[in-house]
Amino acid sequence: MSLNIAQREAVETLSGALLVLAGAGTGKTRVVTYRIARLIQSGISPSRILAVTFTNKAARELQLRIADLLKQTNSTGKGKPEATTFHSLCVRILRRHITCLGYPEQFAIYDRGDQESIARQVLREVKVSDAALRPSELLARVSKWKSSGINCEDAGKSACSSKDYLASVGYSRYQNMLRTVGAVDFDDLLLVTEELFCRFPEVLAKESGRFDHILVDEYQDTNASQYNIVRKLALPHGNLCVVGDDDQAIYGWRGAEVTHILNFKRDWQNAKIVRLEENYRSTREIISWANNLIKFNSQRHGKKLTSTVTGYEPVIKQCKDGEVEAKFVVNDILARLKSGRSAEDFAVLFRTNEQPRMFEMEFRAAKIPYILVGGQSFFDRKEVRDVISYLKLINRPRDEVSLLRVLNTPHRGIGSATIQRLTARAIADKIPIWEILSKLVSGGAGIEEFGSKTIDALNSFQLLISEQRKILTKEFSVENLRGMIMAVDYERELEKQYQDTKERSERWESVGEIFNEAAKYIEESQKPTLSEFLDNTSVAGMDFGSGMDKQNKSRNAVVLMTLHAAKGLEFSDVYMVGMEEGILPHYRSVDSDNVLAVDEERRLCYVGITRARKRLTLTLALNRMKWGKLKPTIPSRFLYEITGQAENPNYKRAINGEMPKR
């Protein structure tokens, strides 16, 4: 095996607790896959090994690398380890045991769109206007509470503003609605699993007994629930290997706690620590700047990256204003493109979503192809959500969010007034809307509220769903999926909604991608079911990945993306723009009472620097337009730290926001 000394040490340490501190570009995925292969070669059954990571993309890459390595070492035929994401792991656990908590076995997993539908209903019921609290704000606060392990009862106690208080009231109602329809949201997958382990020790014993070795990638990104789940699963055998880098912990805003990796030795007292410090990605000059910067964070594991490759000196470019900054970056890239470089070699990284507007204008003017990563997700497209909602309803007729979405899609003569009456009846009778439909079409009480045409339409709809339920729950196949699309006549919906032939064709192709996903799932599954397919799409639709999908990768274009989205990626030439106080570090971290907030901003800057393989350019505008007026800026403190100028008087002025006006 081609491994350096530190990598080999990590691979050959096969028992006990192990912390692999893997600096940027040091080959951590290689270490994880080789270590799994080594465990199997030593006699450990592959099915007794669990490898957990954060994104579906990372899990798939892990699976492919492990399979390839086992083939090379003639270790195939012994089965394969379970390589999965935290959320997919929890879905499987909950499918086996969630009935212990009173949920139905076929519980639904609500995605962002489903959550927003419930949030809007909650706010209407508690009579809160959009001006006081928007659905997105309610969900953001609920997600933050859940990520911190705060339940409905305790949320109100921690409220420190009127919006927090309103959200705490909404939180309780929101959870009740989820329970009523037998559903969980993405955060619940972790929380409910944790609750299951706490309340039912026999379930924990059964689940922890499935594995003898657990490996966790990107351990610095674990939140409280993930930390607790891993700890409970690993305690019986103690064979826990975690891989990560505290210097790349940049997700504190979504509940990740860097203390988990910092305190690993305290949690597992006999743990061994291996440091991977040899960087294979970037030049020595770029690595030098990264090391200079990150040493200013005091709470970190000591390590220093090295590189044997020399190259160009990184550049700091001061520009008169934001417009000049954008022109400089685009013209610099244009000059390199004319010398024979490919557009895909370049990335422009920014801290906030507002920054790329001016760069987009300049790229268009220069006719340089570019991709703005972080646009609409495939799973957020209307046509995709419509088809998935049909499948969810077929799988679970009690799924009211999905039912209301497709009840009149395509148009069946079931208007908004009918839907309002159905909803009111369901609330009054405290039964699902699906049962209201059954009563109406069988001539039950309340039928007089609806006209004969409406009753016929509701009857046809219920028969359609019931028939497709018989077919798809008996055999989930691409042919039956195609039959469902034809039966609901979804193409008619696209023809009605989109007169433009090109757009209609593109949206129909999106529906085709669902077939592709289904075919891939069926090929990989031993016993494909509609329920499991929906689990997979629900988790995939809420992935925490970077957003660099297959379509983006296949295009030869400059990439524009946030620093957060860039984690895990690499580019030949990187431009980090807006290196100013208030942008990077962000003003919220500077104004925060949390002294560690700037540390996370520094780690974010470190992540950006270490994305570059050959060239690194940092830019700042000496003046920037704010609310229609050009105002002077303060150069980022990180520029002084990177270049070893922390003794410069302007460094302290930058920290204190006291730079002289220009």
Side-chain angles (χ1 to χ4, degrees):
M1 294 186 290
S2 177
L3 300 168
N4 64 35
I5 295 172
Q7 289 174 334
R8 184 173 294 278
E9 184 181 5
V11 167
E12 296 293 338
T13 303
L14 299 182
S15 62
L18 172 66
L19 168 60
V20 181
L21 290 170
T26 57
K28 70 178 178 65
T29 306
R30 186 179 185 83
V31 166
V32 172
T33 52
Y34 272 66
R35 189 173 188 276
I36 291 173
R38 184 71 185 88
L39 284 169
I40 295 171
Q41 289 171 341
S42 72
I44 303 297
S45 171
S47 63
R48 305 290 298 173
I49 301 171
L50 170 66
V52 190
T53 187
F54 279 81
T55 68
N56 293 289
K57 174 187 169 186
R60 283 193 296 269
E61 183 181 354
L62 204 54
Q63 291 164 352
L64 291 172
R65 288 205 195 186
I66 292 168
D68 186 53
L69 204 53
L70 293 178
K71 195 180 298 180
Q72 292 176 29
T73 56
N74 297 316
S75 300
T76 54
K78 299 179 181 179
K80 57 183 181 180
E82 186 169 335
T84 185
T85 65
F86 272 103
H87 291 86
S88 293
L89 172 68
C90 289
V91 168
R92 292 167 193 164
I93 292 171
L94 294 176
R95 286 294 175 207
R96 291 190 283 265
H97 306 290
I98 199 169
T99 53
C100 295
L101 295 171
Y103 285 87
E105 184 179 355
Q106 294 299 321
F107 64 90
I109 304 172
Y110 275 9
D111 61 19
R112 180 70 183 188
D114 299 331
Q115 289 175 261
E116 288 181 351
S117 295
I118 288 193
R120 280 192 291 272
Q121 188 175 341
V122 164
L123 294 176
R124 280 197 300 269
E125 287 189 12
V126 296
K127 295 181 171 56
V128 174
S129 67
D130 271 6
L133 186 70
R134 295 192 302 273
S136 59
E137 291 177 311
L138 170 61
L139 292 176
R141 282 168 165 78
V142 168
S143 181
K144 188 173 181 180
W145 280 321
K146 289 185 177 184
S147 296
S148 302
I150 299 174
N151 59 29
C152 308
E153 293 74 23
D154 293 335
K157 299 173 186 175
S158 64
C160 54
S161 68
S162 59
K163 284 197 173 184
D164 280 344
Y165 175 74
L166 290 174
S168 69
V169 175
Y171 182 8
S172 179
R173 188 69 64 93
Y174 171 81
Q175 283 303 108
N176 287 338
M177 283 193 175
L178 286 178
R179 288 297 295 260
T180 299
V181 297
V184 297
D185 64 19
F186 201 53
D187 293 313
D188 284 335
L189 292 175
L190 301 173
L191 288 174
V192 176
T193 300
E194 193 180 359
E195 180 186 358
L196 189 64
F197 285 173
C198 289
R199 290 179 55 187
F200 298 93
E202 66 277 13
V203 170
L204 172 59
K206 190 171 183 179
E207 290 299 322
S208 61
R210 295 178 61 231
F211 305 106
D212 295 322
H213 288 266
I214 298 177
L215 299 91
V216 182
D217 193 13
E218 303 287 8
Y219 190 66
Q220 76 279 351
D221 294 335
T222 53
N223 64 22
S225 291
Q226 290 159 338
Y227 168 82
N228 288 328
I229 289 168
V230 166
R231 184 170 173 79
K232 290 176 185 296
L233 289 175
L235 270 175
H237 51 72
N239 294 321
L240 174 64
C241 171
V242 302
V243 183
D245 182 9
D246 48 297
D247 290 337
Q248 296 186 75
I250 59 173
Y251 295 120
W253 51 275
R254 70 178 186 208
E257 297 182 28
V258 69
T259 53
H260 296 156
I261 194 168
L262 293 176
N263 296 334
F264 188 79
K265 186 77 173 176
R266 185 195 68 187
D267 294 340
W268 303 84
Q269 294 181 5
N270 296 320
K272 182 175 183 178
I273 298 179
V274 176
R275 288 171 169 80
L276 306 184
E277 298 173 307
E278 190 171 345
N279 179 283
Y280 294 98
R281 176 190 300 153
S282 308
T283 64
R284 184 182 298 167
E285 292 79 4
I286 292 171
I287 292 302
S288 175
W289 275 27
N291 285 332
N292 288 348
L293 173 70
I294 204 63
K295 70 183 181 184
F296 281 86
N297 276 6
S298 56
Q299 295 191 28
R300 60 185 290 264
H301 285 290
K303 56 188 171 301
K304 187 175 183 179
L305 294 183
T306 63
S307 174
T308 58
V309 181
T310 58
Y312 304 99
E313 286 290 337
V315 172
I316 295 175
K317 176 66 177 178
Q318 294 188 116
C319 302
K320 178 184 175 182
D321 54 38
E323 184 178 353
V324 173
E325 178 189 40
K327 288 182 182 296
F328 164 76
V329 170
V330 172
N331 288 335
D332 199 50
I333 291 174
L334 183 61
R336 300 188 192 285
L337 291 175
K338 288 180 179 178
S339 69
R341 300 286 300 283
S342 296
E344 62 188 351
D345 290 342
F346 304 92
V348 180
L349 307 182
F350 41 88
R351 174 62 180 87
T352 69
N353 287 314
E354 294 76 28
Q355 289 175 261
R357 182 187 63 80
M358 200 168 290
F359 291 89
E360 285 194 82
M361 292 172 62
E362 294 298 331
F363 276 118
R364 288 176 180 175
K367 297 182 179 177
I368 298 174
Y370 70 91
I371 300 166
L372 178 61
V373 174
Q376 187 182 41
S377 162
F378 171 76
F379 292 95
D380 286 336
R381 298 173 188 174
K382 179 186 182 300
E383 60 277 12
V384 174
R385 289 186 53 76
D386 286 346
V387 173
I388 295 297
S389 291
Y390 266 111
L391 292 175
K392 286 181 176 180
L393 180 62
I394 289 166
N395 188 55
R396 284 190 73 256
R398 288 185 60 186
D399 187 339
E400 297 192 353
V401 171
S402 296
L403 187 151
L404 293 174
R405 182 179 183 92
V406 301
L407 186 57
N408 201 40
T409 304
H411 182 70
R412 297 186 176 90
I414 303 172
S416 58
T418 297
I419 292 173
Q420 287 175 7
R421 289 194 192 101
L422 290 171
T423 304
R425 281 283 303 276
I427 292 171
D429 295 354
K430 297 181 179 179
I431 60 175
I433 293 177
W434 183 259
E435 291 184 24
I436 296 292
L437 294 183
S438 299
K439 287 185 176 183
L440 290 176
V441 299
S442 62
I447 192 172
E448 62 279 357
E449 292 182 46
F450 304 90
S452 59
K453 287 185 178 180
T454 299
I455 294 296
D456 288 343
L458 294 174
N459 185 36
S460 296
F461 175 77
Q462 191 173 54
L463 286 173
L464 170 66
I465 298 302
S466 297
E467 184 63 30
Q468 291 303 314
R469 179 171 168 78
K470 291 177 186 176
I471 296 170
L472 283 166
T473 55
K474 182 179 180 181
E475 181 188 359
F476 183 68
S477 66
V478 173
E479 291 73 19
N480 287 342
L481 177 58
R482 186 177 291 110
M484 185 277 288
I485 295 293
M486 301 302 292
V488 303
D489 199 12
Y490 190 73
E491 194 169 8
R492 177 164 61 90
E493 171 72 5
L494 297 182
E495 289 173 354
K496 177 187 173 186
Q497 292 288 330
Y498 307 104
Q499 301 301 318
D500 182 82
T501 306
K502 183 175 181 293
E503 183 176 5
R504 187 166 68 237
S505 176
E506 287 175 352
R507 290 182 179 272
W508 186 242
E509 285 177 9
S510 293
V511 175
E513 279 299 310
I514 301 174
F515 286 80
N516 295 340
E517 285 292 319
K520 181 180 175 184
Y521 157 71
I522 291 167
E523 182 182 350
E524 295 175 351
S525 176
Q526 293 180 346
K527 189 179 178 181
T529 65
L530 172 59
S531 179
E532 188 177 56
F533 174 69
L534 289 171
D535 284 349
N536 290 352
T537 57
S538 293
V539 174
M542 302 180 198
D543 204 344
F544 285 143
S546 67
M548 284 290 285
D549 58 24
K550 293 177 186 175
Q551 183 180 0
N552 286 341
K553 281 185 175 180
S554 65
R555 291 177 58 188
N556 181 17
V558 177
V559 174
L560 277 66
M561 67 195 319
T562 65
L563 289 161
H564 283 100
K567 187 172 178 291
L569 303 176
E570 58 183 67
F571 304 91
S572 178
D573 294 33
V574 167
Y575 296 81
M576 287 175 58
V577 301
M579 294 295 297
E580 301 143 32
E581 289 289 307
I583 297 181
L584 188 66
H586 196 272
Y587 73 88
R588 281 197 298 266
S589 68
V590 175
D591 295 341
S592 172
D593 292 333
N594 181 1
V595 294
L596 299 180
V598 171
D599 283 3
E600 180 153 324
E601 291 290 298
R602 188 175 285 108
R603 292 193 293 265
L604 187 58
C605 185
Y606 173 86
V607 165
I609 290 171
T610 54
R611 299 311 94 196
R613 292 198 300 266
K614 296 179 180 178
R615 289 181 183 269
L616 173 67
T617 303
L618 309 182
T619 68
L620 68 151
L622 298 177
N623 300 276
R624 195 168 290 277
M625 193 70 73
K626 294 180 180 179
W627 296 100
K629 293 183 179 180
L630 200 61
K631 296 185 177 181
T633 65
I634 300 173
S636 170
R637 68 191 71 187
F638 299 152
L639 295 175
Y640 298 102
E641 296 171 355
I642 285 167
T643 54
Q645 296 186 53
E647 299 304 318
N648 189 316
N650 286 336
Y651 176 56
K652 289 186 178 179
R653 292 174 183 167
I655 292 174
N656 296 323
E658 298 172 357
M659 290 294 290
K661 304 294 182 184
R662 284 180 293 274

